[in-house]
Amino acid sequence: MLIELKGVKKDYPLGRTVVHAIRGVDLEISEGDFTVIAGPSGSGKTTLLNLMGLLDHPTEGELFFEGREVSRISDRDATFIRRNRIGFIFQTFNLIPVLTAIENVELPLLLKRMKGKERIKRAEEALAAVGLGDKLYHKPDELSGGERQRVAIARAIAGMPDIILADEPTANLDSETGLSIIKLMKEMNREQGVTFVFSTHDARIIEIARRKIELLDGKVVSDVVQNSNS
Amino acid sequence: MLFKTAIRNIFKYLRRSLVIFICLIVSIVALQVSDSISEGFKRQSKILMLESAGMILIERKGNDPFDLIQEGIKNFDEVERRIKSVIPDARVIPEIVAPAIVVNDTFSVNALVIGTRRESLISTKLAKKLKADAGDTIVILSTNRAGGLSIKEVKIESVLTNGLFTGGVDLCIPIEKMEEFLLWDTGEVKQIRVNFNQYEKADSLSKLLSGMFPDLNITPWNERLKNLESLFRISDIKMYLFSFVVLLLTSGIIMNSVLSSVMERKKDLGTIRAIGSSKKFIVFLILTEVVIITFFSCLAGTSFSYIITRKLMQVGFHYESVAEMTQYIPPVLYPAINPLRWIVDVIFLFVWAIIWSIYPAVLIARMPPVKALREEI
């Protein structure tokens, strides 16, 4: 089991009130999964991904990463796991604007202290894998939305993480580009065995996922394995 | 890559970078130019003071400094010859006992002159010695408290045979005492002041001369004017206060600009944290930017300082009116570059800029990535 959540709750203070973003979630993510977390806005998708990505701590409950309890893990240890085991894809791509495509992909490898030549080679391969082998030296503002998200995917896969967490990766893309991005992720999942967990509320994308977890008001209302059509 | 990223960030957030850049240039110029002015003032004043007091003072041994009657230096020519053989451009200035009343302070001169309304009385014995008589004018020479020479003319009203003169209203000096002043041999060298261009050599030259002339007291300026350095330290304190104010203003601007800059790219830094960077990396990234800006600011600032100081060295600051009142302020003040002080200024500003950037850098580095990304994830 790669990630396991047991009775996880997450509360946020909002002024004088408390927002119960996650209200007791039990969940397991296995290696090689291609899972979509669906739900309307405010259902807790992002919070759940943050918890799984060790960007945040649960208020209650237990969180395990490869069997290790990580609910109260130190910032240093969480950083180490994020750096070496988890890849992130963000809704707004979150590429570093001053870096070129290849430099953006190199960044997590640099943080892993990978040597220069190997780093460049790996970044080039990752960009080639997402079909951007000819745009290595383009800066984010010289790329289209779809291309930017491809760079973000390349950045996430370059470090060969165990799991990639993608928060609404297609939300800022047109439907066609969004679909091609999801297909790319699906392809990587199938061919390279990369585990993907992503959130979306796009019905067409949900259909492609092998497993669909539906969230509503911070609770899992359904968790089904479906026959994807691609 | 860190360096490359830092440089690109500098250009991306050019406006803020420029604010820090200009602020640092102004600071370094303010520090270095004021340092040069202070250095110039110190050097010129020191030379003026030393010239007046004598970089080396030579007196006869055994004289009581409080005694008004002092033995003179008999072998002046020999002393001068020896000094010139060591430092050819030395200025050897003999203090000559004048053929007149010589008193040790201005007060006595004023008492004599004012008291007698520029007229005086001397004894028969003194009149004989000076070959002077009533109606003649004698010259009173004195060294004043600041070490300068005062000269006053006094007309002899009449010659007394004995007793005290209470001369009308003011004069209270006993005639015997006045005679005592006048018992020196005329034309005798009382002391010798030696001046030369490199005042740092005073100590070694004094030791050399002491060996040559065991009957003379030879004292360099640093033994006599021990408080001179502390006097200049007061000017240093003023400099430090000025520097402190400049640095305080600089620190505010640097911290504010760096803080705005990091807050503006909270998302980028949060992303870097999310994908696995340590807090240290973020701090390092921000500080690298500050170090680059500071490096070029110091380079440009020092160049400006040099140009400004060179210009000021040609023009100078004119203090003629002030200089008239005191002999220790140069009439025209020329700044002087002290390279060591300039280097210290640069290093200090470098460290200062880094210190005041640490807070914003640590602040953003310590921010949980989820908070930095909250609007984005």
Coordinates of all heavy atoms in Angstrom, one line a residue, chain A residues 59-128:
Chain A
T59 N -5.7 17.0 11.0 CA -6.1 17.5 12.3 C -6.3 16.2 13.2 O -5.9 16.2 14.4 CB -7.4 18.3 12.3 OG1 -7.3 19.3 11.2 CG2 -7.7 19.0 13.6
E60 N -6.9 15.2 12.6 CA -7.1 14.0 13.3 C -6.9 12.8 12.4 O -6.9 13.0 11.2 CB -8.6 13.9 13.8 CG -8.8 14.3 15.2 CD -10.3 14.2 15.6 OE1 -10.8 13.0 15.5 OE2 -10.9 15.2 16.0
G61 N -6.7 11.6 12.9 CA -6.6 10.4 12.1 C -5.2 10.1 11.8 O -4.2 10.8 12.2
E62 N -5.0 9.1 11.0 CA -3.6 8.6 10.7 C -3.4 8.6 9.2 O -4.3 8.2 8.4 CB -3.4 7.2 11.3 CG -3.4 7.2 12.8 CD -3.3 5.8 13.4 OE1 -4.1 5.0 12.9 OE2 -2.5 5.5 14.2
L63 N -2.2 8.9 8.8 CA -1.8 8.9 7.4 C -0.6 8.1 7.3 O 0.4 8.3 8.1 CB -1.6 10.4 7.0 CG -1.1 10.6 5.6 CD1 -2.1 10.1 4.5 CD2 -0.8 12.1 5.4
F64 N -0.6 7.1 6.4 CA 0.6 6.3 6.2 C 1.2 6.4 4.8 O 0.4 6.5 3.8 CB 0.2 4.8 6.4 CG -0.2 4.5 7.8 CD1 -1.6 4.7 8.2 CD2 0.7 4.1 8.8 CE1 -2.0 4.4 9.5 CE2 0.2 3.9 10.1 CZ -1.1 4.0 10.5
F65 N 2.5 6.5 4.7 CA 3.1 6.5 3.4 C 4.0 5.2 3.4 O 5.0 5.1 4.2 CB 4.0 7.7 3.2 CG 4.4 7.9 1.8 CD1 3.7 8.6 0.9 CD2 5.6 7.3 1.4 CE1 4.1 8.8 -0.5 CE2 6.1 7.5 0.1 CZ 5.3 8.2 -0.8
E66 N 3.7 4.3 2.5 CA 4.4 3.0 2.5 C 4.5 2.4 3.9 O 5.5 1.9 4.3 CB 5.8 3.2 1.9 CG 5.7 3.4 0.4 CD 7.1 3.2 -0.3 OE1 8.1 3.6 0.3 OE2 7.1 2.7 -1.4
G67 N 3.4 2.4 4.6 CA 3.3 1.8 5.9 C 3.9 2.6 7.0 O 3.7 2.2 8.2
R68 N 4.5 3.7 6.7 CA 5.1 4.5 7.8 C 4.1 5.6 8.2 O 3.6 6.3 7.3 CB 6.4 5.2 7.3 CG 7.1 6.0 8.3 CD 8.2 6.8 7.6 NE 8.7 7.8 8.5 CZ 9.6 8.8 8.2 NH1 10.0 8.8 6.9 NH2 10.0 9.7 9.0
E69 N 3.9 5.8 9.4 CA 2.9 6.8 9.9 C 3.5 8.2 9.7 O 4.6 8.5 10.2 CB 2.7 6.5 11.4 CG 1.2 6.7 11.8 CD 0.8 8.2 12.1 OE1 1.4 8.8 12.9 OE2 -0.1 8.7 11.3
V70 N 2.9 9.0 8.9 CA 3.5 10.3 8.6 C 2.5 11.5 9.0 O 2.8 12.6 8.5 CB 3.8 10.4 7.1 CG1 5.0 9.5 6.8 CG2 2.6 10.0 6.2
S71 N 1.6 11.2 9.8 CA 0.6 12.3 10.2 C 1.3 13.5 10.9 O 0.9 14.6 10.6 CB -0.5 11.8 11.1 OG -0.9 10.5 10.7
R72 N 2.2 13.2 11.7 CA 2.9 14.2 12.5 C 4.4 14.3 12.1 O 5.2 14.6 12.9 CB 2.8 13.9 14.0 CG 1.4 13.9 14.5 CD 0.8 15.3 14.7 NE -0.6 15.2 14.9 CZ -1.6 15.3 13.9 NH1 -1.2 15.5 12.7 NH2 -2.8 15.2 14.2
I73 N 4.7 14.0 10.9 CA 6.1 14.0 10.4 C 6.7 15.4 10.5 O 5.9 16.4 10.3 CB 6.1 13.4 9.0 CG1 7.5 12.9 8.6 CG2 5.5 14.3 8.0 CD1 7.5 12.2 7.3
S74 N 8.0 15.5 10.7 CA 8.6 16.8 10.7 C 8.7 17.4 9.3 O 8.6 16.6 8.3 CB 10.0 16.6 11.2 OG 10.9 16.0 10.3
D75 N 8.9 18.7 9.2 CA 8.9 19.3 7.9 C 10.1 18.8 7.1 O 10.0 18.6 5.9 CB 9.1 20.8 8.2 CG 9.2 21.6 6.8 OD1 8.2 21.7 6.2 OD2 10.3 22.0 6.4
R76 N 11.2 18.5 7.8 CA 12.4 18.0 7.1 C 12.1 16.6 6.4 O 12.4 16.4 5.3 CB 13.5 17.9 8.1 CG 14.8 17.4 7.5 CD 15.9 17.3 8.5 NE 16.8 18.4 8.4 CZ 18.0 18.4 9.0 NH1 18.3 17.4 9.8 NH2 18.8 19.4 8.8
D77 N 11.5 15.7 7.2 CA 11.2 14.4 6.7 C 10.1 14.5 5.6 O 10.2 13.8 4.6 CB 10.7 13.5 7.8 CG 11.8 13.1 8.7 OD1 13.0 13.4 8.4 OD2 11.5 12.7 9.9
A78 N 9.1 15.4 5.8 CA 8.1 15.5 4.7 C 8.7 16.0 3.4 O 8.4 15.6 2.3 CB 7.0 16.5 5.2
T79 N 9.6 17.0 3.6 CA 10.3 17.5 2.4 C 11.1 16.4 1.7 O 11.1 16.3 0.5 CB 11.3 18.7 2.8 OG1 10.6 19.7 3.5 CG2 12.0 19.3 1.6
F80 N 11.8 15.6 2.5 CA 12.5 14.5 1.9 C 11.6 13.5 1.1 O 12.0 13.1 0.0 CB 13.3 13.7 3.0 CG 14.1 12.6 2.5 CD1 15.4 12.8 2.1 CD2 13.6 11.3 2.5 CE1 16.2 11.8 1.6 CE2 14.4 10.2 2.0 CZ 15.7 10.5 1.6
I81 N 10.5 13.2 1.7 CA 9.6 12.3 1.0 C 9.0 12.9 -0.3 O 9.0 12.3 -1.4 CB 8.4 11.8 1.9 CG1 9.0 11.0 3.1 CG2 7.3 11.0 1.1 CD1 8.0 10.6 4.1
R82 N 8.6 14.2 -0.2 CA 8.1 14.9 -1.3 C 9.1 15.0 -2.5 O 8.8 14.8 -3.6 CB 7.7 16.4 -1.0 CG 6.4 16.5 -0.2 CD 5.9 17.9 -0.4 NE 6.8 18.9 0.0 CZ 6.9 19.4 1.3 NH1 6.2 18.9 2.2 NH2 7.8 20.4 1.5
R83 N 10.4 15.2 -2.0 CA 11.5 15.4 -3.0 C 11.7 14.1 -3.8 O 12.0 14.1 -5.0 CB 12.7 15.9 -2.3 CG 13.9 16.2 -3.2 CD 15.2 16.4 -2.4 NE 15.0 17.4 -1.4 CZ 15.6 17.4 -0.2 NH1 16.5 16.4 0.1 NH2 15.4 18.4 0.6
N84 N 11.7 13.0 -3.0 CA 12.1 11.7 -3.6 C 11.0 10.8 -4.0 O 11.3 9.9 -4.9 CB 13.0 11.0 -2.6 CG 14.3 11.8 -2.4 OD1 15.1 11.9 -3.3 ND2 14.5 12.3 -1.2
R85 N 9.8 10.9 -3.5 CA 8.8 9.9 -3.7 C 7.5 10.5 -4.4 O 6.7 9.7 -4.9 CB 8.4 9.2 -2.4 CG 9.6 8.8 -1.5 CD 10.4 7.8 -2.2 NE 9.7 6.5 -2.4 CZ 9.6 5.6 -1.5 NH1 10.2 5.7 -0.3 NH2 9.0 4.5 -1.7
I86 N 7.3 11.8 -4.3 CA 6.0 12.3 -4.8 C 6.3 13.4 -5.9 O 7.2 14.2 -5.8 CB 5.3 13.0 -3.6 CG1 5.1 12.0 -2.5 CG2 3.9 13.5 -4.1 CD1 4.5 12.5 -1.2
G87 N 5.4 13.3 -6.9 CA 5.5 14.3 -7.9 C 4.2 15.1 -7.9 O 3.1 14.6 -7.5
F88 N 4.3 16.4 -8.2 CA 3.1 17.3 -8.1 C 2.8 17.9 -9.5 O 3.7 18.3 -10.2 CB 3.3 18.4 -7.1 CG 3.3 17.9 -5.7 CD1 4.5 17.6 -5.1 CD2 2.1 17.8 -5.0 CE1 4.5 17.2 -3.8 CE2 2.2 17.4 -3.7 CZ 3.4 17.1 -3.1
I89 N 1.5 17.9 -9.8 CA 1.0 18.7 -11.0 C -0.1 19.6 -10.5 O -1.0 19.2 -9.8 CB 0.5 17.7 -12.1 CG1 1.6 16.8 -12.6 CG2 0.0 18.6 -13.3 CD1 1.1 15.7 -13.5
F90 N 0.1 20.9 -10.8 CA -0.8 21.9 -10.3 C -1.8 22.4 -11.3 O -1.5 22.3 -12.5 CB -0.1 23.1 -9.7 CG 0.9 22.7 -8.6 CD1 2.3 22.5 -8.9 CD2 0.5 22.5 -7.3 CE1 3.2 22.1 -8.0 CE2 1.4 22.1 -6.3 CZ 2.8 22.0 -6.7
Q91 N -2.9 22.9 -10.9 CA -4.0 23.4 -11.7 C -3.4 24.5 -12.6 O -3.7 24.6 -13.8 CB -5.1 23.9 -10.9 CG -6.3 24.3 -11.7 CD -7.4 24.8 -10.7 OE1 -7.5 24.3 -9.6 NE2 -8.3 25.7 -11.2
T92 N -2.7 25.4 -12.0 CA -2.2 26.6 -12.8 C -0.7 26.3 -13.2 O 0.0 27.3 -13.3 CB -2.3 27.9 -12.0 OG1 -1.8 27.6 -10.7 CG2 -3.7 28.3 -11.9
F93 N -0.4 25.1 -13.4 CA 0.9 24.6 -13.9 C 2.1 24.9 -12.9 O 3.0 24.1 -12.7 CB 1.3 25.2 -15.3 CG 0.1 25.4 -16.1 CD1 -0.2 26.7 -16.7 CD2 -0.8 24.4 -16.4 CE1 -1.3 26.9 -17.5 CE2 -1.9 24.6 -17.2 CZ -2.2 25.8 -17.8
N94 N 2.1 26.1 -12.3 CA 3.1 26.5 -11.3 C 4.6 26.2 -11.8 O 5.4 25.8 -11.1 CB 2.9 25.7 -10.0 CG 1.7 26.3 -9.2 OD1 0.8 26.8 -9.9 ND2 1.8 26.2 -7.9
L95 N 4.8 26.6 -13.1 CA 6.2 26.6 -13.6 C 6.9 27.8 -13.1 O 6.2 28.9 -12.9 CB 6.2 26.5 -15.1 CG 5.5 25.3 -15.7 CD1 5.5 25.4 -17.2 CD2 6.1 24.0 -15.3
I96 N 8.2 27.7 -12.9 CA 8.9 28.9 -12.5 C 9.1 29.8 -13.7 O 9.8 29.3 -14.7 CB 10.3 28.5 -11.8 CG1 10.1 27.4 -10.7 CG2 11.0 29.7 -11.3 CD1 9.1 27.8 -9.6
P97 N 8.6 31.0 -13.7 CA 8.6 31.8 -14.9 C 9.9 32.2 -15.4 O 10.1 32.4 -16.7 CB 7.8 33.0 -14.5 CG 7.7 33.0 -13.0 CD 7.9 31.6 -12.6
V98 N 10.9 32.2 -14.6 CA 12.2 32.7 -15.1 C 13.1 31.5 -15.6 O 14.1 31.8 -16.2 CB 13.1 33.4 -14.0 CG1 12.4 34.7 -13.6 CG2 13.3 32.5 -12.8
L99 N 12.6 30.3 -15.5 CA 13.3 29.2 -16.0 C 12.7 28.6 -17.3 O 11.5 28.7 -17.5 CB 13.3 28.0 -14.9 CG 13.9 28.4 -13.5 CD1 13.8 27.2 -12.6 CD2 15.3 28.8 -13.7
T100 N 13.6 28.1 -18.1 CA 13.1 27.5 -19.4 C 12.5 26.1 -19.0 O 12.5 25.7 -17.9 CB 14.3 27.2 -20.3 OG1 15.2 26.3 -19.7 CG2 15.0 28.5 -20.7
A101 N 11.9 25.5 -20.1 CA 11.2 24.3 -19.9 C 12.1 23.2 -19.3 O 11.8 22.6 -18.3 CB 10.6 23.8 -21.2
I102 N 13.3 23.1 -19.9 CA 14.2 22.1 -19.4 C 14.7 22.4 -17.9 O 14.9 21.5 -17.1 CB 15.4 21.9 -20.4 CG1 16.2 20.6 -20.0 CG2 16.3 23.1 -20.4 CD1 17.1 20.1 -21.0
E103 N 14.9 23.7 -17.7 CA 15.3 24.1 -16.3 C 14.3 23.8 -15.3 O 14.6 23.4 -14.2 CB 15.7 25.6 -16.3 CG 17.1 25.8 -17.0 CD 17.3 27.3 -17.3 OE1 16.3 28.1 -17.2 OE2 18.4 27.6 -17.7
N104 N 13.0 24.0 -15.7 CA 11.9 23.7 -14.8 C 11.9 22.2 -14.4 O 11.6 21.8 -13.3 CB 10.6 24.1 -15.4 CG 10.1 25.5 -14.9 OD1 9.7 25.6 -13.8 ND2 10.2 26.5 -15.8
V105 N 12.2 21.4 -15.5 CA 12.2 20.0 -15.3 C 13.4 19.5 -14.4 O 13.3 18.6 -13.6 CB 12.1 19.2 -16.6 CG1 12.1 17.7 -16.4 CG2 10.8 19.6 -17.4
E106 N 14.5 20.3 -14.7 CA 15.7 20.0 -13.9 C 15.6 20.3 -12.4 O 16.3 19.7 -11.6 CB 16.9 20.8 -14.5 CG 17.6 20.2 -15.7 CD 18.8 21.1 -16.0 OE1 19.7 21.1 -15.3 OE2 18.7 21.8 -17.1
L107 N 14.8 21.2 -12.1 CA 14.7 21.8 -10.7 C 14.6 20.7 -9.7 O 15.4 20.6 -8.7 CB 13.7 22.8 -10.6 CG 13.6 23.6 -9.3 CD1 14.9 24.3 -9.0 CD2 12.5 24.6 -9.3
P108 N 13.5 19.8 -9.8 CA 13.4 18.7 -8.7 C 14.6 17.8 -8.7 O 15.0 17.3 -7.7 CB 12.2 18.0 -9.1 CG 11.8 18.4 -10.5 CD 12.4 19.7 -10.7
L109 N 15.3 17.6 -9.9 CA 16.4 16.8 -9.9 C 17.6 17.4 -9.3 O 18.4 16.8 -8.6 CB 16.8 16.5 -11.4 CG 15.6 15.9 -12.2 CD1 16.1 15.7 -13.7 CD2 15.2 14.5 -11.7
L110 N 17.7 18.8 -9.4 CA 18.7 19.5 -8.7 C 18.6 19.4 -7.2 O 19.6 19.3 -6.5 CB 18.6 21.0 -9.2 CG 19.6 22.0 -8.5 CD1 20.9 22.0 -9.1 CD2 19.0 23.4 -8.5
L111 N 17.3 19.5 -6.8 CA 17.0 19.4 -5.4 C 17.4 18.0 -4.8 O 17.7 17.8 -3.7 CB 15.6 19.7 -5.1 CG 15.1 21.1 -5.4 CD1 13.6 21.2 -5.3 CD2 15.8 22.1 -4.6
K112 N 17.4 17.0 -5.8 CA 17.8 15.6 -5.4 C 19.3 15.5 -5.5 O 19.9 14.4 -5.3 CB 17.2 14.6 -6.4 CG 15.8 14.3 -6.1 CD 15.3 13.3 -7.2 CE 14.2 12.5 -6.6 NZ 13.8 11.4 -7.6
R113 N 20.0 16.6 -5.8 CA 21.5 16.6 -5.9 C 22.0 15.7 -7.1 O 23.0 15.1 -6.9 CB 22.2 16.3 -4.6 CG 21.9 17.3 -3.5 CD 22.4 16.8 -2.2 NE 21.9 17.6 -1.1 CZ 22.6 18.6 -0.6 NH1 23.7 18.9 -1.1 NH2 22.1 19.3 0.4
M114 N 21.2 15.7 -8.1 CA 21.6 14.9 -9.3 C 22.7 15.6 -10.0 O 22.6 16.9 -10.2 CB 20.4 14.6 -10.2 CG 20.7 13.5 -11.1 SD 19.2 13.2 -12.1 CE 18.3 12.1 -11.0
K115 N 23.7 15.0 -10.5 CA 24.8 15.6 -11.2 C 24.3 16.2 -12.6 O 23.4 15.8 -13.2 CB 25.9 14.6 -11.5 CG 26.6 14.1 -10.3 CD 27.8 15.0 -9.9 CE 28.6 14.5 -8.8 NZ 27.9 14.5 -7.5
G116 N 25.0 17.3 -13.0 CA 24.6 18.1 -14.1 C 24.2 17.3 -15.4 O 23.1 17.5 -15.9
K117 N 25.2 16.5 -15.9 CA 24.9 15.8 -17.2 C 23.7 14.9 -17.1 O 22.9 14.8 -18.0 CB 26.2 15.0 -17.6 CG 27.2 15.9 -18.3 CD 28.3 15.2 -18.8 CE 29.4 16.1 -19.4 NZ 30.6 15.4 -19.7
E118 N 23.7 14.1 -16.0 CA 22.6 13.1 -15.8 C 21.3 13.9 -15.7 O 20.2 13.4 -16.2 CB 22.9 12.3 -14.6 CG 22.0 11.1 -14.5 CD 22.1 10.4 -13.1 OE1 23.1 10.7 -12.4 OE2 21.3 9.6 -12.8
R119 N 21.3 15.0 -15.0 CA 20.1 15.8 -14.8 C 19.6 16.3 -16.1 O 18.4 16.2 -16.4 CB 20.5 17.0 -13.9 CG 19.4 17.7 -13.2 CD 20.0 18.7 -12.2 NE 20.6 19.8 -12.9 CZ 21.7 20.4 -12.4 NH1 22.2 20.0 -11.2 NH2 22.2 21.4 -13.0
I120 N 20.4 16.8 -17.0 CA 20.0 17.4 -18.2 C 19.4 16.2 -19.1 O 18.4 16.4 -19.7 CB 21.2 18.1 -19.0 CG1 21.5 19.3 -18.2 CG2 20.8 18.4 -20.4 CD1 22.9 20.0 -18.5
K121 N 20.1 15.1 -19.1 CA 19.7 13.9 -19.9 C 18.3 13.5 -19.4 O 17.4 13.3 -20.3 CB 20.7 12.8 -19.7 CG 20.4 11.6 -20.6 CD 21.6 10.6 -20.5 CE 21.3 9.3 -21.2 NZ 20.7 8.4 -20.2
R122 N 18.1 13.4 -18.1 CA 16.8 13.0 -17.6 C 15.7 14.0 -17.9 O 14.6 13.6 -18.3 CB 16.9 12.8 -16.1 CG 15.7 12.2 -15.4 CD 15.7 10.7 -15.4 NE 16.6 10.1 -14.6 CZ 16.4 9.9 -13.2 NH1 15.3 10.3 -12.7 NH2 17.4 9.3 -12.5
A123 N 16.0 15.3 -17.8 CA 15.1 16.3 -18.1 C 14.7 16.3 -19.6 O 13.5 16.4 -20.0 CB 15.6 17.7 -17.8
E124 N 15.7 16.1 -20.5 CA 15.4 16.0 -21.9 C 14.5 14.8 -22.2 O 13.6 14.9 -23.0 CB 16.7 15.9 -22.7 CG 17.5 17.2 -22.8 CD 18.9 17.0 -23.4 OE1 19.3 15.8 -23.6 OE2 19.5 18.0 -23.8
E125 N 14.8 13.7 -21.6 CA 14.0 12.5 -21.8 C 12.5 12.7 -21.3 O 11.6 12.3 -22.0 CB 14.5 11.3 -21.0 CG 15.8 10.7 -21.7 CD 16.5 9.7 -20.7 OE1 16.0 9.5 -19.6 OE2 17.6 9.2 -21.2
A126 N 12.4 13.4 -20.2 CA 11.0 13.6 -19.6 C 10.3 14.6 -20.6 O 9.1 14.3 -20.8 CB 11.1 14.2 -18.2
L127 N 10.9 15.6 -21.1 CA 10.3 16.5 -22.0 C 9.9 15.8 -23.3 O 8.9 16.1 -23.9 CB 11.1 17.8 -22.2 CG 11.0 18.8 -21.1 CD1 12.1 19.8 -21.2 CD2 9.7 19.5 -21.0
A128 N 10.8 15.0 -23.8 CA 10.6 14.2 -25.0 C 9.3 13.3 -24.8 O 8.5 13.2 -25.7 CB 11.8 13.4 -25.4

